[in-house]
Amino acid sequence: MKRLHLFLIKSFISSFIVTFFIAIFLLLMQFMWKYIDDLIGKGLEFTQIAELIFYASARFVPVALPIAMLLSSVMVMGKLGENYELAALKASGISLVRILFPLTIFVIIISYSSFLFSNYVMPIANLKNGSMIYDIQKKKPALNIKEGVFYKDIEGFSIKVSKRDADGKTLKNIIIYDHTANNGNDKVIIAESGLMQLTQDEQFLELVLFNGHSYIDIAKNNRKAKKPYRTTHFTEDLIRFNLSSFSTMNNSENLYKGHYAMLSNSQLAIAIDSLNLKFKDRKETFTTNIIDKYNSKSKMVKIGHIDDLSLVKKKKQFDIAINKLRTLKSIVKSNYNDLEYRKIIITKHEIEWHRKISLAVACILLFLVGSSMGAIIRKGGFGFPVLISVFFFIVYHVLSMIGEKSAKDLSLQAYEGIWLANLVFLPIALLLIYKAKNDSQLFDFSFILKRNLPKIKK
């Protein structure tokens, strides 16, 4: 039995590793496709891109593990069934449950490791990845002055050149608009040619201009001036641009440290308790203030004999009451929206708490579904098993998305929404295991055929 267990575990591990990295790659491609516009033209170094990919890949580990479990289990058990090895094992008196026992232990270990990873490693990966994406989105594009197009990424300047030589440094027919004074186009520099170069520390761009003029509009600053602008001719001039906004990305991790995706389950539990207390206090304070301020019994208006004077007074009282009701309605609506927002924030924290456990349990459930399906279909490789695995995972993913969206909309409790897919797949897994154990067909319509067959008369 030990040799059999080792054989099954080795077969499963090899398939599991391959499918796991395939799943990571596909999820990573989806991530890169989503943020491709933010990455292009930012002058990122290879180390920065590699770091971003590393942290993004770490984020997808808990999601890729259930996919790998499902696909590898279908492939391994399908291959055993296709080669009649599964039938030989059953014929020798070894049940399907006994065959799956060592793989189940291995899957439970992987499932627990998935929870530990989600609880301790993934918050750090989310923090690093989120802060890097934020910094990249805020980072200005790399310095790239094109011919015939105004370049405006240097703060306070607009630069246009008619021609740029192949060396990338020599420029022809240069126009520079200086907006640093915040007075519009009050300063313009025109030059026949120029030489562009970076300083050694790459913090400044030096532009040496040859044979040009500068025009400064002084009429806006001095209305008594005889001439509306001042012209200066130069044979050589040096302009230095500060490129601090093009430097290394800032560290924005402090912006995301309190986010629910960056917290472990123990931290989430503390945050949920704190948010619930604040929600309760906010609700009680609002209720108390409304009762004290708009208590109808303490501010009842006694209606006496109605005459012309009392009608005027009564109309004023009605107007005051209507205005107070409108104010009350506005206050109630504002506070209701505030309480609803607080509920949504609490729900998101609870969703993240349950998600870590739910994805770990999903590894076990999808393994049971995949292994039983592999034993039933008896096909190995990347053909039919991949199709079956994709179908089941799409169903699981759609149920997860529906449950999570319903929880965020407050239509369901957080635990109901997150555990919806697992609750649906639990009876499916038990049914498939029963079918595979008894060598039953997945869909048995024989009783219908027997009912419709004509009876033969003796």
Side-chain angles (χ1 to χ4, degrees):
M1 289 298 295
K2 290 184 178 179
R3 291 185 177 181
L4 174 62
H5 292 171
L6 290 175
F7 169 74
L8 291 174
I9 291 175
K10 287 181 180 179
S11 302
F12 184 81
I13 289 177
S14 60
S15 300
F16 172 74
I17 292 174
V18 173
T19 53
F20 173 74
F21 282 105
I22 290 175
I24 288 287
F25 176 76
L26 294 176
L27 293 171
L28 187 60
M29 289 301 101
Q30 182 185 10
F31 166 82
M32 296 298 291
W33 182 262
K34 180 179 179 181
Y35 292 102
I36 190 67
D37 292 335
D38 296 321
L39 300 176
I40 291 177
K42 296 299 179 72
L44 299 175
E45 298 179 0
F46 175 77
T47 55
Q48 293 174 332
I49 297 175
E51 186 179 0
L52 179 64
I53 292 175
F54 174 76
Y55 288 127
S57 301
R59 288 179 56 194
F60 299 134
V61 168
V63 181
L65 284 175
I67 303 174
M69 287 292 177
L70 177 62
L71 185 55
S72 57
S73 58
V74 174
M75 291 171 57
V76 170
M77 297 304 295
K79 186 177 180 180
L80 291 176
E82 186 178 12
N83 296 334
Y84 297 100
E85 294 173 340
L86 188 60
L89 292 173
K90 290 182 178 180
S92 61
I94 304 175
S95 64
L96 180 65
V97 176
R98 187 68 182 276
I99 295 171
L100 293 178
F101 179 75
L103 296 180
T104 305
I105 299 299
F106 175 76
V107 170
I108 291 174
I109 295 173
I110 295 296
S111 177
Y112 183 67
S113 302
S114 173
F115 168 73
L116 294 178
F117 188 93
S118 299
N119 196 39
Y120 296 107
V121 179
M122 199 171 69
I124 300 174
N126 286 335
L127 178 61
K128 298 289 186 180
N129 186 73
S131 61
M132 284 194 70
I133 291 175
Y134 178 82
D135 290 335
I136 290 172
Q137 289 174 339
K138 294 296 181 182
K139 190 175 186 292
K140 291 187 177 181
L143 188 64
N144 186 15
I145 300 176
K146 298 180 180 179
E147 298 178 356
V149 180
F150 276 104
Y151 183 81
K152 302 179 181 179
D153 291 320
I154 298 178
E155 188 174 357
F157 294 91
S158 297
I159 304 173
K160 181 181 179 182
V161 299
S162 61
K163 186 178 180 182
R164 184 176 180 179
D165 290 351
D167 59 3
K169 297 181 179 181
T170 306
L171 309 176
K172 302 292 184 182
N173 297 328
I174 305 168
I175 301 176
I176 300 175
Y177 288 97
D178 188 347
H179 308 291
T180 54
N182 296 322
N183 289 325
N185 298 328
D186 60 344
K187 185 176 182 180
V188 183
I189 303 173
I190 300 175
E192 294 181 0
S193 61
L195 185 64
M196 181 176 64
Q197 59 187 8
L198 292 174
T199 58
Q200 291 183 354
D201 57 1
E202 296 185 355
Q203 294 296 317
F204 295 92
L205 170 67
E206 292 183 344
L207 191 58
V208 182
L209 303 176
F210 303 102
N211 299 326
H213 298 80
S214 65
Y215 301 89
I216 301 176
D217 189 354
I218 60 177
K220 295 179 180 179
N221 301 324
N222 187 4
R223 295 182 180 180
K224 296 181 180 180
K226 297 181 180 180
K227 295 183 179 180
Y229 60 88
R230 182 171 66 245
T231 305
T232 304
H233 175 74
F234 59 85
T235 56
E236 182 177 341
D237 191 14
L238 174 64
I239 301 178
R240 178 174 285 186
F241 303 100
N242 189 356
L243 301 181
S244 59
S245 59
F246 292 82
S247 59
T248 307
M249 295 179 299
N250 297 323
N251 188 358
S252 59
E253 292 183 7
N254 293 329
L255 297 174
Y256 292 92
K257 279 189 175 180
H259 194 269
Y260 54 85
M262 321 300 175
L263 304 177
S264 63
N265 272 20
S266 59
Q267 293 172 330
L268 284 170
I270 296 172
I272 291 170
D273 290 339
S274 177
L275 290 171
N276 279 323
L277 288 175
K278 290 181 180 179
F279 176 83
K280 186 178 179 180
D281 292 340
R282 183 77 176 87
K283 187 176 181 180
E284 290 178 354
T285 302
F286 167 65
T287 305
T288 303
N289 291 338
I290 288 294
I291 292 175
D292 293 343
K293 191 173 183 179
Y294 296 97
N295 191 350
S296 59
K297 293 182 180 180
S298 62
K299 297 184 179 181
M300 288 181 61
V301 178
K302 295 182 179 180
I303 302 175
H305 181 69
I306 300 177
D307 53 15
D308 294 339
L309 183 61
S310 63
L311 285 174
V312 175
K313 292 181 178 180
K314 201 164 189 62
K315 186 176 182 303
K316 290 182 179 180
Q317 291 174 352
F318 285 153
D319 292 338
I320 294 172
I322 290 172
N323 291 331
K324 286 187 175 182
L325 286 174
R326 288 174 179 171
T327 305
L328 178 61
K329 182 180 178 181
S330 177
I331 294 173
V332 170
K333 184 177 180 180
S334 174
N335 282 271
Y336 174 79
N337 292 334
D338 179 63
L339 292 175
E340 285 293 303
Y341 175 75
R342 291 173 182 264
K343 279 185 181 179
I344 293 173
I345 296 299
I346 294 172
T347 301
K348 287 182 178 180
H349 282 73
E350 293 175 345
I351 286 173
E352 194 63 29
W353 191 93
H354 286 282
R355 191 201 309 277
K356 294 178 173 61
I357 306 174
S358 175
L359 288 174
V361 174
C363 294
I364 301 174
L365 287 177
L366 293 181
F367 164 75
L368 296 176
V369 171
S371 58
S372 54
M373 279 300 303
I376 293 172
I377 63 176
R378 299 174 184 176
K379 290 287 184 182
F382 281 94
F384 192 61
V386 173
L387 181 62
I388 294 294
S389 301
V390 169
F391 170 75
F392 275 104
F393 183 75
I394 288 175
V395 174
Y396 181 86
H397 184 66
V398 169
L399 290 173
S400 299
M401 294 294 291
I402 292 173
E404 183 175 348
K405 189 175 185 303
S406 300
K408 288 181 178 179
D409 293 341
L410 304 180
S411 302
L412 295 175
Q413 295 293 329
Y415 67 90
E416 293 175 346
I418 291 300
W419 289 93
L420 175 63
N422 288 341
L423 293 175
V424 171
F425 266 69
L426 178 60
I428 295 175
L430 296 176
L431 175 63
L432 291 176
I433 290 174
Y434 174 79
K435 290 282 187 180
K437 181 182 177 182
N438 297 309
D439 293 328
S440 304
Q441 295 182 0
L442 186 58
F443 301 104
D444 189 5
F445 301 105
S446 58
F447 67 96
I448 299 177
L449 297 175
K450 289 179 180 179
R451 184 182 300 175
N452 295 331
L453 286 174
K455 295 182 179 180
I456 300 175
K457 295 182 180 180
K458 295 182 180 180

mmCIF file of all heavy atoms in Angstrom, residues 346-377:
data_model
loop_
_atom_site.group_PDB
_atom_site.id
_atom_site.type_symbol
_atom_site.label_atom_id
_atom_site.label_comp_id
_atom_site.label_asym_id
_atom_site.label_seq_id
_atom_site.Cartn_x
_atom_site.Cartn_y
_atom_site.Cartn_z
ATOM 1 N N ILE A 346 -18.462 47.216 6.992
ATOM 2 C CA ILE A 346 -18.388 46.063 7.905
ATOM 3 C C ILE A 346 -18.530 44.764 7.136
ATOM 4 O O ILE A 346 -17.809 43.782 7.383
ATOM 5 C CB ILE A 346 -19.480 46.189 8.991
ATOM 6 C CG1 ILE A 346 -19.208 47.396 9.886
ATOM 7 C CG2 ILE A 346 -19.557 44.917 9.825
ATOM 8 C CD1 ILE A 346 -20.336 47.703 10.853
ATOM 9 N N THR A 347 -19.455 44.727 6.172
ATOM 10 C CA THR A 347 -19.675 43.516 5.364
ATOM 11 C C THR A 347 -18.429 43.168 4.556
ATOM 12 O O THR A 347 -18.079 41.989 4.427
ATOM 13 C CB THR A 347 -20.872 43.727 4.427
ATOM 14 O OG1 THR A 347 -22.036 44.025 5.201
ATOM 15 C CG2 THR A 347 -21.135 42.475 3.602
ATOM 16 N N LYS A 348 -17.748 44.167 4.013
ATOM 17 C CA LYS A 348 -16.536 43.897 3.235
ATOM 18 C C LYS A 348 -15.446 43.288 4.120
ATOM 19 O O LYS A 348 -14.708 42.403 3.676
ATOM 20 C CB LYS A 348 -16.042 45.181 2.575
ATOM 21 C CG LYS A 348 -16.910 45.635 1.414
ATOM 22 C CD LYS A 348 -16.357 46.894 0.760
ATOM 23 C CE LYS A 348 -17.205 47.302 -0.436
ATOM 24 N NZ LYS A 348 -16.689 48.525 -1.103
ATOM 25 N N HIS A 349 -15.354 43.758 5.353
ATOM 26 C CA HIS A 349 -14.398 43.155 6.293
ATOM 27 C C HIS A 349 -14.779 41.703 6.591
ATOM 28 O O HIS A 349 -13.915 40.813 6.636
ATOM 29 C CB HIS A 349 -14.353 43.963 7.592
ATOM 30 C CG HIS A 349 -13.551 45.224 7.493
ATOM 31 N ND1 HIS A 349 -13.994 46.335 6.806
ATOM 32 C CD2 HIS A 349 -12.322 45.553 7.991
ATOM 33 C CE1 HIS A 349 -13.088 47.299 6.898
ATOM 34 N NE2 HIS A 349 -12.064 46.851 7.607
ATOM 35 N N GLU A 350 -16.072 41.462 6.788
ATOM 36 C CA GLU A 350 -16.517 40.095 7.074
ATOM 37 C C GLU A 350 -16.321 39.183 5.864
ATOM 38 O O GLU A 350 -15.969 38.007 6.019
ATOM 39 C CB GLU A 350 -17.998 40.123 7.485
ATOM 40 C CG GLU A 350 -18.244 40.810 8.820
ATOM 41 C CD GLU A 350 -19.723 40.933 9.134
ATOM 42 O OE1 GLU A 350 -20.545 40.746 8.208
ATOM 43 O OE2 GLU A 350 -20.064 41.217 10.304
ATOM 44 N N ILE A 351 -16.544 39.720 4.671
ATOM 45 C CA ILE A 351 -16.316 38.938 3.455
ATOM 46 C C ILE A 351 -14.864 38.502 3.359
ATOM 47 O O ILE A 351 -14.565 37.346 3.050
ATOM 48 C CB ILE A 351 -16.737 39.761 2.215
ATOM 49 C CG1 ILE A 351 -18.257 39.840 2.116
ATOM 50 C CG2 ILE A 351 -16.163 39.157 0.933
ATOM 51 C CD1 ILE A 351 -18.744 40.772 1.034
ATOM 52 N N GLU A 352 -13.967 39.435 3.637
ATOM 53 C CA GLU A 352 -12.542 39.101 3.560
ATOM 54 C C GLU A 352 -12.171 38.070 4.626
ATOM 55 O O GLU A 352 -11.321 37.205 4.382
ATOM 56 C CB GLU A 352 -11.721 40.380 3.740
ATOM 57 C CG GLU A 352 -10.266 40.246 3.351
ATOM 58 C CD GLU A 352 -10.067 39.929 1.887
ATOM 59 O OE1 GLU A 352 -10.918 40.339 1.068
ATOM 60 O OE2 GLU A 352 -9.060 39.267 1.559
ATOM 61 N N TRP A 353 -12.786 38.135 5.798
ATOM 62 C CA TRP A 353 -12.517 37.156 6.848
ATOM 63 C C TRP A 353 -12.955 35.764 6.417
ATOM 64 O O TRP A 353 -12.239 34.781 6.598
ATOM 65 C CB TRP A 353 -13.251 37.568 8.128
ATOM 66 C CG TRP A 353 -12.854 36.782 9.342
ATOM 67 C CD1 TRP A 353 -11.888 37.105 10.244
ATOM 68 C CD2 TRP A 353 -13.422 35.546 9.787
ATOM 69 N NE1 TRP A 353 -11.810 36.148 11.225
ATOM 70 C CE2 TRP A 353 -12.737 35.177 10.975
ATOM 71 C CE3 TRP A 353 -14.434 34.721 9.310
ATOM 72 C CZ2 TRP A 353 -13.039 34.018 11.681
ATOM 73 C CZ3 TRP A 353 -14.736 33.555 10.006
ATOM 74 C CH2 TRP A 353 -14.050 33.217 11.173
ATOM 75 N N HIS A 354 -14.147 35.661 5.850
ATOM 76 C CA HIS A 354 -14.670 34.358 5.419
ATOM 77 C C HIS A 354 -13.988 33.862 4.141
ATOM 78 O O HIS A 354 -13.897 32.645 3.926
ATOM 79 C CB HIS A 354 -16.182 34.449 5.183
ATOM 80 C CG HIS A 354 -16.987 34.516 6.439
ATOM 81 N ND1 HIS A 354 -17.263 33.416 7.222
ATOM 82 C CD2 HIS A 354 -17.569 35.574 7.067
ATOM 83 C CE1 HIS A 354 -17.987 33.775 8.271
ATOM 84 N NE2 HIS A 354 -18.192 35.085 8.197
ATOM 85 N N ARG A 355 -13.525 34.775 3.292
ATOM 86 C CA ARG A 355 -12.937 34.367 2.018
ATOM 87 C C ARG A 355 -11.698 33.487 2.227
ATOM 88 O O ARG A 355 -11.501 32.509 1.506
ATOM 89 C CB ARG A 355 -12.564 35.597 1.194
ATOM 90 C CG ARG A 355 -12.180 35.279 -0.251
ATOM 91 C CD ARG A 355 -11.350 36.397 -0.846
ATOM 92 N NE ARG A 355 -11.968 37.685 -0.663
ATOM 93 C CZ ARG A 355 -12.921 38.168 -1.464
ATOM 94 N NH1 ARG A 355 -13.336 37.456 -2.499
ATOM 95 N NH2 ARG A 355 -13.431 39.367 -1.243
ATOM 96 N N LYS A 356 -10.864 33.845 3.199
ATOM 97 C CA LYS A 356 -9.641 33.082 3.437
ATOM 98 C C LYS A 356 -9.949 31.626 3.785
ATOM 99 O O LYS A 356 -9.272 30.701 3.316
ATOM 100 C CB LYS A 356 -8.832 33.739 4.564
ATOM 101 C CG LYS A 356 -8.286 35.123 4.221
ATOM 102 C CD LYS A 356 -7.544 35.707 5.395
ATOM 103 C CE LYS A 356 -6.835 37.014 5.056
ATOM 104 N NZ LYS A 356 -7.731 38.080 4.635
ATOM 105 N N ILE A 357 -10.973 31.420 4.595
ATOM 106 C CA ILE A 357 -11.357 30.051 4.978
ATOM 107 C C ILE A 357 -12.094 29.366 3.835
ATOM 108 O O ILE A 357 -11.898 28.172 3.570
ATOM 109 C CB ILE A 357 -12.220 30.079 6.242
ATOM 110 C CG1 ILE A 357 -11.498 30.846 7.355
ATOM 111 C CG2 ILE A 357 -12.568 28.673 6.698
ATOM 112 C CD1 ILE A 357 -12.316 31.057 8.607
ATOM 113 N N SER A 358 -12.937 30.113 3.135
ATOM 114 C CA SER A 358 -13.737 29.532 2.054
ATOM 115 C C SER A 358 -12.861 29.008 0.922
ATOM 116 O O SER A 358 -13.115 27.915 0.389
ATOM 117 C CB SER A 358 -14.713 30.584 1.521
ATOM 118 O OG SER A 358 -15.424 30.104 0.411
ATOM 119 N N LEU A 359 -11.833 29.762 0.538
ATOM 120 C CA LEU A 359 -10.946 29.308 -0.533
ATOM 121 C C LEU A 359 -10.152 28.075 -0.120
ATOM 122 O O LEU A 359 -9.850 27.209 -0.948
ATOM 123 C CB LEU A 359 -10.001 30.435 -0.940
ATOM 124 C CG LEU A 359 -10.623 31.589 -1.718
ATOM 125 C CD1 LEU A 359 -9.611 32.709 -1.929
ATOM 126 C CD2 LEU A 359 -11.145 31.111 -3.058
ATOM 127 N N ALA A 360 -9.803 27.984 1.167
ATOM 128 C CA ALA A 360 -9.101 26.798 1.652
ATOM 129 C C ALA A 360 -10.006 25.572 1.595
ATOM 130 O O ALA A 360 -9.584 24.482 1.174
ATOM 131 C CB ALA A 360 -8.604 27.033 3.076
ATOM 132 N N VAL A 361 -11.261 25.727 1.999
ATOM 133 C CA VAL A 361 -12.216 24.606 1.936
ATOM 134 C C VAL A 361 -12.519 24.251 0.484
ATOM 135 O O VAL A 361 -12.753 23.087 0.146
ATOM 136 C CB VAL A 361 -13.501 24.978 2.707
ATOM 137 C CG1 VAL A 361 -14.565 23.902 2.542
ATOM 138 C CG2 VAL A 361 -13.183 25.190 4.181
ATOM 139 N N ALA A 362 -12.508 25.249 -0.407
ATOM 140 C CA ALA A 362 -12.779 24.996 -1.825
ATOM 141 C C ALA A 362 -11.751 24.038 -2.425
ATOM 142 O O ALA A 362 -12.081 23.273 -3.340
ATOM 143 C CB ALA A 362 -12.793 26.304 -2.598
ATOM 144 N N CYS A 363 -10.510 24.063 -1.915
ATOM 145 C CA CYS A 363 -9.492 23.121 -2.405
ATOM 146 C C CYS A 363 -9.939 21.677 -2.181
ATOM 147 O O CYS A 363 -9.804 20.823 -3.067
ATOM 148 C CB CYS A 363 -8.158 23.376 -1.705
ATOM 149 S SG CYS A 363 -7.396 24.957 -2.087
ATOM 150 N N ILE A 364 -10.491 21.397 -1.000
ATOM 151 C CA ILE A 364 -10.934 20.039 -0.676
ATOM 152 C C ILE A 364 -12.146 19.665 -1.516
ATOM 153 O O ILE A 364 -12.213 18.560 -2.082
ATOM 154 C CB ILE A 364 -11.242 19.928 0.822
ATOM 155 C CG1 ILE A 364 -10.001 20.276 1.646
ATOM 156 C CG2 ILE A 364 -11.749 18.536 1.172
ATOM 157 C CD1 ILE A 364 -10.243 20.330 3.136
ATOM 158 N N LEU A 365 -13.131 20.562 -1.600
ATOM 159 C CA LEU A 365 -14.348 20.255 -2.344
ATOM 160 C C LEU A 365 -14.073 20.023 -3.822
ATOM 161 O O LEU A 365 -14.566 19.057 -4.420
ATOM 162 C CB LEU A 365 -15.359 21.389 -2.170
ATOM 163 C CG LEU A 365 -16.040 21.499 -0.803
ATOM 164 C CD1 LEU A 365 -16.962 22.710 -0.771
ATOM 165 C CD2 LEU A 365 -16.830 20.228 -0.491
ATOM 166 N N LEU A 366 -13.278 20.897 -4.430
ATOM 167 C CA LEU A 366 -12.996 20.740 -5.853
ATOM 168 C C LEU A 366 -12.113 19.525 -6.119
ATOM 169 O O LEU A 366 -12.191 18.920 -7.194
ATOM 170 C CB LEU A 366 -12.343 22.012 -6.396
ATOM 171 C CG LEU A 366 -13.256 23.249 -6.423
ATOM 172 C CD1 LEU A 366 -12.525 24.447 -7.006
ATOM 173 C CD2 LEU A 366 -14.522 22.980 -7.218
ATOM 174 N N PHE A 367 -11.279 19.150 -5.154
ATOM 175 C CA PHE A 367 -10.524 17.895 -5.299
ATOM 176 C C PHE A 367 -11.471 16.697 -5.318
ATOM 177 O O PHE A 367 -11.317 15.782 -6.144
ATOM 178 C CB PHE A 367 -9.518 17.749 -4.161
ATOM 179 C CG PHE A 367 -8.984 16.358 -4.019
ATOM 180 C CD1 PHE A 367 -8.050 15.858 -4.925
ATOM 181 C CD2 PHE A 367 -9.434 15.535 -2.993
ATOM 182 C CE1 PHE A 367 -7.575 14.561 -4.807
ATOM 183 C CE2 PHE A 367 -8.953 14.246 -2.863
ATOM 184 C CZ PHE A 367 -8.022 13.756 -3.772
ATOM 185 N N LEU A 368 -12.441 16.678 -4.416
ATOM 186 C CA LEU A 368 -13.405 15.574 -4.384
ATOM 187 C C LEU A 368 -14.224 15.526 -5.666
ATOM 188 O O LEU A 368 -14.472 14.447 -6.220
ATOM 189 C CB LEU A 368 -14.323 15.723 -3.170
ATOM 190 C CG LEU A 368 -13.643 15.626 -1.792
ATOM 191 C CD1 LEU A 368 -14.652 15.876 -0.686
ATOM 192 C CD2 LEU A 368 -12.985 14.260 -1.620
ATOM 193 N N VAL A 369 -14.633 16.697 -6.142
ATOM 194 C CA VAL A 369 -15.383 16.740 -7.403
ATOM 195 C C VAL A 369 -14.519 16.253 -8.560
ATOM 196 O O VAL A 369 -14.936 15.432 -9.379
ATOM 197 C CB VAL A 369 -15.888 18.176 -7.671
ATOM 198 C CG1 VAL A 369 -16.475 18.286 -9.078
ATOM 199 C CG2 VAL A 369 -16.932 18.572 -6.644
ATOM 200 N N GLY A 370 -13.271 16.732 -8.636
ATOM 201 C CA GLY A 370 -12.395 16.370 -9.741
ATOM 202 C C GLY A 370 -11.995 14.910 -9.724
ATOM 203 O O GLY A 370 -11.990 14.247 -10.780
ATOM 204 N N SER A 371 -11.658 14.365 -8.550
ATOM 205 C CA SER A 371 -11.242 12.962 -8.480
ATOM 206 C C SER A 371 -12.388 12.023 -8.828
ATOM 207 O O SER A 371 -12.191 11.033 -9.546
ATOM 208 C CB SER A 371 -10.708 12.661 -7.083
ATOM 209 O OG SER A 371 -11.690 12.942 -6.094
ATOM 210 N N SER A 372 -13.584 12.324 -8.338
ATOM 211 C CA SER A 372 -14.731 11.464 -8.667
ATOM 212 C C SER A 372 -15.106 11.585 -10.140
ATOM 213 O O SER A 372 -15.455 10.579 -10.788
ATOM 214 C CB SER A 372 -15.924 11.826 -7.781
ATOM 215 O OG SER A 372 -16.216 13.211 -7.863
ATOM 216 N N MET A 373 -15.029 12.805 -10.703
ATOM 217 C CA MET A 373 -15.317 12.965 -12.125
ATOM 218 C C MET A 373 -14.284 12.236 -12.978
ATOM 219 O O MET A 373 -14.612 11.631 -14.000
ATOM 220 C CB MET A 373 -15.325 14.451 -12.496
ATOM 221 C CG MET A 373 -16.607 15.165 -12.156
ATOM 222 S SD MET A 373 -18.057 14.472 -12.973
ATOM 223 C CE MET A 373 -17.580 14.606 -14.682
ATOM 224 N N GLY A 374 -13.000 12.282 -12.581
ATOM 225 C CA GLY A 374 -11.968 11.550 -13.313
ATOM 226 C C GLY A 374 -12.203 10.058 -13.290
ATOM 227 O O GLY A 374 -11.990 9.355 -14.298
ATOM 228 N N ALA A 375 -12.655 9.537 -12.140
ATOM 229 C CA ALA A 375 -12.949 8.104 -12.039
ATOM 230 C C ALA A 375 -14.158 7.717 -12.882
ATOM 231 O O ALA A 375 -14.251 6.575 -13.350
ATOM 232 C CB ALA A 375 -13.183 7.724 -10.577
ATOM 233 N N ILE A 376 -15.063 8.657 -13.095
ATOM 234 C CA ILE A 376 -16.272 8.347 -13.882
ATOM 235 C C ILE A 376 -15.998 8.445 -15.375
ATOM 236 O O ILE A 376 -16.360 7.548 -16.143
ATOM 237 C CB ILE A 376 -17.422 9.298 -13.468
ATOM 238 C CG1 ILE A 376 -17.859 9.001 -12.036
ATOM 239 C CG2 ILE A 376 -18.612 9.159 -14.418
ATOM 240 C CD1 ILE A 376 -18.857 10.003 -11.486
ATOM 241 N N ILE A 377 -15.350 9.538 -15.823
ATOM 242 C CA ILE A 377 -15.154 9.729 -17.270
ATOM 243 C C ILE A 377 -14.014 8.872 -17.804
ATOM 244 O O ILE A 377 -13.984 8.536 -18.984
ATOM 245 C CB ILE A 377 -14.881 11.211 -17.589
ATOM 246 C CG1 ILE A 377 -13.586 11.687 -16.927
ATOM 247 C CG2 ILE A 377 -16.059 12.082 -17.157
ATOM 248 C CD1 ILE A 377 -13.196 13.098 -17.273
#
